[in-house]
Amino acid sequence: MPALADGQTRPIDGHTFNPPPRKITLSVASDLLYDTNVAHGTETAARLRDIEQEDVRSTNVAAIDLALPAGRAAFTFLGVVGYDAYARNDQLDRERIDLSAGTKLPLAFCMFDGDLHYARAQSDLADLSLVPNAPAEAAANARTDRRADARLACGPAIGIRPFVSLGHTETTNSAAARRFQDVSETRYAAGLSYANPVVGVVSLVARRTSFDYDRRPPDGSLGSPRFRVSYAGVGFDRRLGARLQMTASLGYAWMGEHDARSGRRLNGLNWDLASTVRLADRAQLTVRTSRAIDAATGTFANLVRTSSFAGTIIYALGPSVRVDATASLMTRAFDAGALPQPFQLIDDRSQDYVLGLEYRRARARVRLAAAYRQRDATPDLYDYSGFLLSLGVRYALER
């Protein structure tokens, strides 16, 4: 669902001691988004993309959200299906699909967690590099993600538990000029966790991730097809209190030695901190910061290191009306490889400021939000600023 229409806060992901409460929610939503810079670049970049900078997008979605606990086991499902339609840039019209299913199963002295995820939508143009001599390919691209994760932890629910996990993700692009950036990602991890109702969950983890760009030419003209990133760190999870909830991780990540064509090392500290605190009966503050190394699927690069910082404050004016404000900063450093490419994105720094007003009554919700976004990048062709205005309506049935 569009970010401006659906708010700027998300629940903190991670371990919980108790299964989720039973929930069945069916909803429909409609959103109108006015954007002064759909191309997410300079006027020259907009012309190269064959994009009208100013546009209005209409998004209509239907969603189902399930949480079905059964003793120590649980099943969850979240499905969102909709369509984005632009008034002027109809080449960006695209389905919007986001499906997630998860299960938690007790197996003797162990607990198994499994997750499946499928998502497909038009790529954000801020994440797409320009493609020389291919304006249509430069913009109209559907990104599809397929992900599966499994985790097995054995031992007492309270105390020390060893765990192992395995995950795999396939990311593909619909535009022919971008398919050399299709990537498969395989993750292996193992570690120890200590769980205590008073302290929370503390864990030690070692992980290795392989990124395989299987569609790159075998002659290496577009760079090496495989990269590996290793990680070792600690994690902390405490989400038991009603007033303060927190998850955090800190570790060191380094790229493998065999990626000889890599032009930039992204080694260094990685982290993820998310915390929500109730400041008073009417106010809530959420902060999140993270740094991670990931695949680069929309721009010519091997890997990208993304650092983000965000804070959101929500204040309830009454039982039905609340206001929220969000400020965020994101910086990205791309390992673009040893072979220079036209319009190659090297670095960028983005700032977002969002102010929202939401009215809730019974099963209906109406949200109005305004935002300002700015990006400074290397090269300057990707610099942009823009204003956004969003009006969203949602109707939900819950039981």
Side-chain angles (χ1 to χ4, degrees):
M1 191 173 296
L4 292 180
D6 199 46
Q8 298 298 313
T9 59
R10 296 182 179 180
I12 297 176
D13 299 324
H15 177 92
T16 54
F17 286 100
N18 300 311
R22 179 182 176 86
K23 174 177 66 174
I24 301 176
T25 303
L26 301 175
S27 64
V28 292
S30 183
D31 174 76
L32 283 177
L33 176 67
Y34 167 72
D35 191 343
T36 63
N37 195 331
V38 174
H40 292 171
T42 62
E43 291 184 5
T44 301
R47 289 194 299 269
L48 291 171
R49 294 188 192 275
D50 197 19
I51 289 291
E52 298 287 342
Q53 283 190 300
E54 190 174 359
D55 206 348
V56 175
R57 187 187 73 196
S58 172
T59 301
N60 297 287
V61 300
I64 180 171
D65 189 357
L66 303 176
L68 303 174
R72 295 174 59 206
F75 171 78
T76 60
F77 177 81
L78 175 61
V80 180
V81 178
Y83 194 80
D84 294 334
Y86 287 81
R88 304 175 71 184
N89 296 289
D90 56 6
Q91 70 270 38
L92 301 181
D93 293 356
R94 187 73 63 183
E95 68 275 14
R96 179 182 291 269
I97 303 172
D98 197 329
L99 308 174
S100 298
T103 185
K104 183 184 291 288
L105 296 174
L107 301 172
F109 297 103
C110 301
M111 180 64 73
F112 171 82
D113 292 87
D115 293 282
L116 296 173
H117 181 246
Y118 175 89
R120 180 177 172 86
Q122 164 65 36
S123 297
D124 187 336
L125 297 192
D127 297 329
L128 295 180
S129 62
L130 291 161
V131 178
N133 304 318
E137 295 282 6
N141 181 73
R143 168 173 166 162
T144 302
D145 294 297
R146 302 173 180 86
R147 189 184 75 235
D149 289 285
R151 183 179 185 272
L152 183 67
C154 296
I158 305 301
I160 298 177
R161 309 183 76 183
F163 64 87
V164 294
S165 67
L166 174 65
H168 185 77
T169 301
E170 296 279 349
T171 300
T172 58
N173 297 283
S174 65
R178 301 191 187 279
R179 289 175 184 163
F180 62 84
Q181 287 300 107
D182 291 357
V183 61
S184 61
E185 175 185 339
T186 304
R187 302 170 295 277
Y188 312 86
L192 291 173
S193 67
Y194 172 74
N196 184 288
V198 176
V199 176
V201 181
V202 181
S203 59
L204 300 174
V205 61
R207 181 174 62 245
R208 169 165 284 190
T209 306
S210 295
F211 300 92
D212 292 285
Y213 295 92
D214 296 328
R215 295 201 176 195
R216 287 190 175 181
D219 61 4
S221 58
L222 293 179
S224 298
R226 169 172 288 190
F227 300 88
R228 290 180 178 173
V229 176
S230 299
Y231 171 88
V234 298
F236 176 72
D237 188 330
R238 192 178 193 279
R239 297 192 291 138
L240 303 180
R243 184 168 293 274
L244 174 64
Q245 301 185 17
M246 178 184 296
T247 65
S249 65
L250 177 65
Y252 189 85
W254 63 97
M255 297 169 62
E257 296 298 332
H258 63 287
D259 50 358
R261 291 184 180 271
S262 174
R264 190 179 201 175
R265 297 305 238 179
L266 302 177
N267 300 350
L269 288 176
N270 281 13
W271 63 80
D272 193 329
L273 169 66
S275 179
T276 296
V277 58
R278 296 191 180 277
L279 303 176
D281 292 339
R282 293 188 174 188
Q284 176 178 293
L285 174 66
T286 298
V287 295
R288 183 154 198 170
T289 176
S290 65
R291 172 181 281 181
I293 300 174
D294 204 351
T297 59
T299 184
F300 182 82
N302 298 319
L303 298 170
V304 56
R305 184 182 64 206
T306 302
S307 304
S308 63
F309 310 85
T312 297
I313 187 166
I314 301 173
Y315 185 80
L317 298 177
S320 301
V321 181
R322 72 178 194 178
V323 294
D324 58 82
T326 298
S328 63
L329 170 67
M330 182 181 70
T331 62
R332 297 188 296 182
F334 292 86
D335 166 26
L339 301 175
Q341 299 293 316
F343 308 133
Q344 190 165 290
L345 183 59
I346 306 301
D347 301 281
D348 68 0
R349 175 188 176 94
S350 304
Q351 302 173 64
D352 285 60
Y353 304 95
V354 182
L355 184 63
L357 174 67
E358 187 173 289
Y359 174 77
R360 299 188 181 195
R361 185 173 181 85
R363 299 184 179 95
R365 184 178 71 179
V366 179
R367 176 176 168 80
L368 177 66
Y372 173 75
R373 293 177 175 174
Q374 179 179 343
R375 177 169 74 173
D376 297 312
T378 303
D380 295 340
L381 193 65
Y382 294 100
D383 290 353
Y384 82 94
S385 62
F387 290 94
L388 301 93
L389 185 64
S390 174
L391 175 62
V393 180
R394 179 177 180 266
Y395 185 82
L397 296 174
E398 301 181 3
R399 57 166 298 180

